[in-house]
């Protein structure tokens, strides 16, 4: 009976709050990496985006008014990692906060010597354990911009107020309430080069929204460490072996200053490696398959789909998670302003 009710509720939401065609086409134009998606996958993504917008509040920080276009662009990208997994993977939070530019959280963290540091570097995005996702709108929109440094740091008292509820009468596309509290300070991002580093591929592999929402998947079983909860058909031992081997090779190549077709920030730590390579999987999947075919296969099994739209992905064996003994989970932040 509950299943019937859930299906009825879903159908009612999709009918009542369908994304207007003009708005949908505007969002697709803003996200050119979706141009080659099959029609059926785009229809599924459109439906899930509506459900996401009905379930989550996308609010502006510090007086930033969020438009229906901005909400739709964020929702579409946020739904990509869970398109085959289901929105229940995002049940641990209710709010996405958009900032007008890169922002500072003034997070405090303790190093191994017990020294407290206060982080005042600008960031493009942050995923908080059990809490919201915070994004810089220009970076959420500009999927072609090369990323600057990322880091995993504890979220300090400077995170924005992410609890305001929009008026209940608002449609999913009008939930543009503003977070009026908090210490987030935003400022214009410095210009960064566009396009592909080596010119080998047409599509950049950077997507801040996908990156931060992949961190939320990684946090489902504790601190983000590069290994989310895995399905039964995906061997945990193989995942660990595959990811560790690829991560070690990638760090070696970064240290050797080799030309890379994947963002070098993936070498920061295993959590960032998982998030950056997931971006590549969804935005430039051929690149990931050519560079790390075993990682591609693990992602294909984990995300339960084939972004290359082919059926010859090779072997299907796959990873046991290496647990982390940390007591306190940390947020994952995306820093900006590369020098």
């Amino acid at each position: 009976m509950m299943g019937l009710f859930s299906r009825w509720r879903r159908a009612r939401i999709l009918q009542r709050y369908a994304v207007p065609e003009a708005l949908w086409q505007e969002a697709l134009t803003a996200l050119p990496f979706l141009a080659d998606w099959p029609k059926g996958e785009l229809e599924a993504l459109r439906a899930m985006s509506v459900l996401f917008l009905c379930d989550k509040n996308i609010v502006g920080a510090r007086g930033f008014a969020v438009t229906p276009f901005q909400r739709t662009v964020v929702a579409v990208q946020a739904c990509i990692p869970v398109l085959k997994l289901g929105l229940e993977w995002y049940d641990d939070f209710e709010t996405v906060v958009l900032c007008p530019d890169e922002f500072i959280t003034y997070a405090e963290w303790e190093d191994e010597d017990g020294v407290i540091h206060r982080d005042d570097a600008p960031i493009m995005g942050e995923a908080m354990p059990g809490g919201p996702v915070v994004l810089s709108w220009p970076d959420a929109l500009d999927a072609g911009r090369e990323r600057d440094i990322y880091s995993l740091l504890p979220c300090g008292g400077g995170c924005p107020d992410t609890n305001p509820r929009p008026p209940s009468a608002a449609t999913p596309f009008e939930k543009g309430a503003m977070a009026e509290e908090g210490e987030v300070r935003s400022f214009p991002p410095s210009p960064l080069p566009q396009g592909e580093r080596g010119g080998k591929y047409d599509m950049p592999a950077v997507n801040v929204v996908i990156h931060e929402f992949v961190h939320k998947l990684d946090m489902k079983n504790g601190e983000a460490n590069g290994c989310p909860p895995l399905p039964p058909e995906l061997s945990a031992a193989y995942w660990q072996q595959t990811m560790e081997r690829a991560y070690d090779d990638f760090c070696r190549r970064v240290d050797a200053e080799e030309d890379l077709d994947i963002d070098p920030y993936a070498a920061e730590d295993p959590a960032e490696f998982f998030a950056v390579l997931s971006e590549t999987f969804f935005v430039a999947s051929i690149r990931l398959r050519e560079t790390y075919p075993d990682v591609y296969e693990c992602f294909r099994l984990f995300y339960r789909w084939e972004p290359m739209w082919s059926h010859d992905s090779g072997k299907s064996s796959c990873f046991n998670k290496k647990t982390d003994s940390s007591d306190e989970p940390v947020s994952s932040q995306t820093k900006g302003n590369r020098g």
Side-chain angles (χ1 to χ4, degrees):
M1 183 64 68
M2 179 61 69
L4 285 175
F5 177 78
S6 298
R7 287 195 294 272
W8 174 85
R9 182 176 180 273
R10 181 180 186 276
R12 182 176 174 85
I13 289 173
L14 292 178
Q15 182 179 23
R16 183 175 182 181
Y17 298 116
V19 180
E21 181 63 23
L23 180 58
W24 177 247
Q25 292 302 323
E26 187 180 7
L28 291 183
T29 300
L31 302 171
F33 68 92
L34 297 176
D36 294 330
W37 277 39
K39 181 179 179 181
E41 299 293 343
L42 285 176
E43 290 176 350
L45 183 61
R46 184 174 183 171
M48 181 172 280
S49 299
V50 172
L51 299 175
F52 181 92
L53 289 167
C54 288
D55 188 54
K56 308 299 181 188
N57 301 310
I58 301 182
V59 302
R62 306 290 291 181
F64 182 52
V66 180
T67 68
F69 169 72
Q70 292 167 330
R71 288 175 47 76
T72 303
V73 166
V74 169
V76 168
Q77 296 175 92
C79 289
I80 289 173
V82 295
L83 186 59
K84 304 295 185 180
L85 300 177
L87 280 176
E88 59 270 18
W89 278 73
Y90 292 158
D91 282 349
D92 68 324
F93 72 99
E94 296 181 346
T95 304
V96 179
V97 180
L98 279 186
C99 297
D101 285 303
E102 294 171 352
F103 55 94
I104 298 174
T105 62
Y106 301 107
E108 292 185 351
W109 52 281
E110 184 176 347
D111 64 22
E112 58 184 11
D113 296 321
V115 178
I116 302 297
H117 302 264
R118 193 181 192 197
D119 187 46
D120 59 359
I123 61 177
M124 294 186 284
E126 177 178 27
M128 299 181 230
V133 175
V134 187
L135 299 165
S136 156
W137 164 245
D139 296 290
L141 177 65
D142 192 1
R145 173 177 171 177
E146 291 194 7
R147 177 192 293 105
D148 211 337
I149 296 174
Y150 283 68
S151 174
L152 281 171
L153 295 173
C155 177
C159 296
D161 176 7
T162 55
N163 295 317
R165 302 292 299 183
S168 58
T171 70
F173 307 105
E174 294 171 342
K175 290 183 184 176
M178 302 169 206
E180 297 180 353
E181 301 295 332
E183 299 299 325
V184 167
R185 185 180 69 185
S186 62
F187 54 94
S190 42
L192 294 173
Q194 299 281 338
E196 194 57 46
R197 243 187 303 278
K200 182 178 179 181
Y201 299 96
D202 293 329
M203 204 62 71
V206 172
N207 187 296
V208 172
V209 180
I210 291 177
H211 185 103
E212 294 304 329
F213 280 89
V214 166
H215 279 314
K216 294 297 287 186
L217 303 184
D218 198 1
M219 294 172 181
K220 287 292 285 186
N221 54 3
E223 181 177 338
N225 61 2
C227 186
L230 301 173
E233 66 271 20
L234 185 53
S235 163
Y238 185 80
W239 177 280
Q240 179 175 324
Q241 175 188 350
T242 301
M243 296 296 280
E244 285 185 353
R245 183 170 59 243
Y247 179 64
D248 290 344
D249 176 74
F250 190 80
C251 291
R252 177 192 60 77
R253 296 175 65 186
V254 170
D255 290 341
E257 299 183 351
E258 294 184 18
D259 290 335
L260 298 168
D261 295 315
I262 297 173
D263 192 329
Y265 192 73
E268 181 72 10
D269 59 43
E272 299 298 348
F273 188 70
F274 172 53
V276 171
L277 266 63
S278 291
E279 293 176 70
T280 311
F281 178 73
F282 290 113
V283 178
S285 57
I286 295 176
R287 187 183 323 173
L288 180 61
R289 187 178 177 186
E290 289 181 351
T291 308
Y292 294 114
D294 289 343
V295 172
Y296 178 92
E297 176 65 8
C298 281
F299 284 7
R300 187 184 69 82
L301 294 174
F302 171 67
Y303 290 112
R304 302 179 185 175
W305 70 329
E306 178 73 75
M308 290 175 58
W309 321 118
S310 65
H311 304 283
D312 59 342
S313 55
K315 65 180 180 180
S316 59
S317 50
C318 255
F319 187 2
N320 240 343
K321 158 180 183 253
K322 182 184 292 184
T323 57
D324 194 302
S325 59
S326 301
D327 293 329
E328 294 296 330
V330 294
S331 65
S332 180
Q333 298 183 342
T334 305
K335 293 186 179 180
N337 252 359
R338 173 179 294 167

